[in-house]
Amino acid sequence: MPTRILPAVGDADAVRSITTLLSQLPDAEPVAPVVDSTQLVDTLARLAAESVDELPEVVIVHERIGPVPALELIRDVALRFPAVGVILVTSDASPGLFQAAMDYGARGLVAHPLGYEELASRVQAVAQWSVGVRRHLGAGGDVFTGAGGIVVTVSGAKGGVGATLTAIQLALAAQASGRGTALVDMDLQTGDVASFLDVQFRRSVVDLAAISDISPRVLADAVYRHDTGVALLLAPGEGERGEDVTDRAARQIVSALRSRYDVVVVDCGAQLSGAGAAAVEMADKALLVTTPDVVAVRGAKRVVRMWDRLQIRKAEETVVVVNRHGRNAEIQPPLIQRITGTAVAATTVPAHYKELQSAVDAGRVHELDGRSTVKQALWTLAGELGLVRAPEGAHRAGRLRGDRAAVSFRRRREAGG
């Protein structure tokens, strides 16, 4: 059986040298190379969604891949696609780097400039390891977790547009449908998730920032299990401590959560930090919440352009959610789509703040009445995004909080609407 090899190389000269050598290896089937970390993860996720057998046995990561650093990328691939063997190509073949690469999940290291014998030997060994892992996982049935849980980030076009409420209700909807859900407050200086949910908890996301290997036990100690079942990872009470959460720490934290939960919702707030940027970059779905007014829509356009300049997220990969929508508003979703160049969610959230006021003032938005049109809209949005597990039978649908929205969405989907 041919060994499928996927090179992840951003440098043009390195691409040529690596692909030339790979084409000479016996029983090798090189795949078209990917040029950055985002393309690599997207490609593997797409293949994993089809079948484990569609994944390449070997991925070769060049040390100058970007925008995610090579070792961080290797960790992400190892966590999300455990049946894929990763080889790091580097000009620094020191024992220290070798140990670091192994700690991050690589199965081998090859020195640059590449030599045929060394590359052939390493590819063969890693391919054999990958085949053995797949054989073992295939026998185990549900050991393989594929791409892991779904990560959704929620950002605000500006402050006060409703990003935190949106993030909370999406997490509640996912949890209520039977999916293990984590909600992360990555608005590190001004996060309000704890206030919205009436929670006092001394641990926060900062407690995980300095830990290089986040074990399930360490993660469990840092999260707070809310009465609704949602696992909360809160922002620090002292905003200045948010600086301790670097982009590298954020990637490790999100990866650890993805491996443990079906759905991970990250509230990134309205100010871009390194940690928030890393979360948006890693996300399967990146939401940008705006209200239908000139100032907020301009803010949304500004955020989208900034993400594109910083190579965090392309406009077409971002979904704008329109909050406080009204039929008589001069700015409607199609116009927002044209202005921002993004996709716009089909579900809009109505402008009915009176429904929310008592729950928000009490800090208990999880107790929002299921008849609330705002809650129904947000839970319908969760269904549109694929965060809600469809009930197995009608008797289960009635147990969902806000079940009117969930059932309505399910019926429209089954009818092809």
Side-chain angles (χ1 to χ4, degrees), residues 191-267:
D192 286 323
V193 168
S195 297
F196 272 68
L197 294 174
D198 192 25
V199 170
Q200 293 183 350
F201 188 58
R202 64 185 182 87
R203 295 192 182 276
S204 73
V205 66
V206 174
D207 293 292
L208 299 177
I211 300 176
S212 58
D213 187 11
I214 303 175
S215 67
R217 184 168 185 173
V218 169
L219 186 63
D221 288 340
V223 302
Y224 175 86
R225 182 68 64 176
H226 193 258
D227 294 342
T228 59
V230 175
L232 304 178
L233 187 55
L234 302 170
E238 305 81 17
E240 65 274 13
R241 296 190 64 202
E243 296 180 357
D244 296 338
V245 185
T246 63
D247 56 343
R248 175 179 177 180
R251 290 190 185 98
Q252 293 178 356
I253 292 167
V254 172
S255 294
L257 289 166
R258 189 202 296 267
S259 68
R260 301 290 298 175
Y261 295 93
D262 299 320
V263 177
V264 180
V265 181
V266 186
D267 178 9

Side-chain angles (χ1 to χ4, degrees), residues 39-54:
Q39 190 178 0
L40 172 62
V41 174
D42 288 347
T43 299
L44 293 177
R46 175 176 51 79
L47 294 172
E50 298 177 10
S51 168
V52 179
D53 294 332
E54 296 299 320

Side-chain angles (χ1 to χ4, degrees), residues 146-204:
I150 300 172
V151 176
V152 179
T153 57
V154 183
S155 306
K158 68 180 190 65
V161 296
T164 298
L165 179 67
T166 299
I168 290 173
Q169 291 298 328
L170 291 178
L172 292 174
Q175 180 69 36
S177 74
R179 308 190 77 174
T181 304
L183 173 61
V184 187
D185 196 343
M186 204 67 81
D187 187 358
L188 298 172
Q189 292 187 346
T190 58
D192 286 323
V193 168
S195 297
F196 272 68
L197 294 174
D198 192 25
V199 170
Q200 293 183 350
F201 188 58
R202 64 185 182 87
R203 295 192 182 276
S204 73

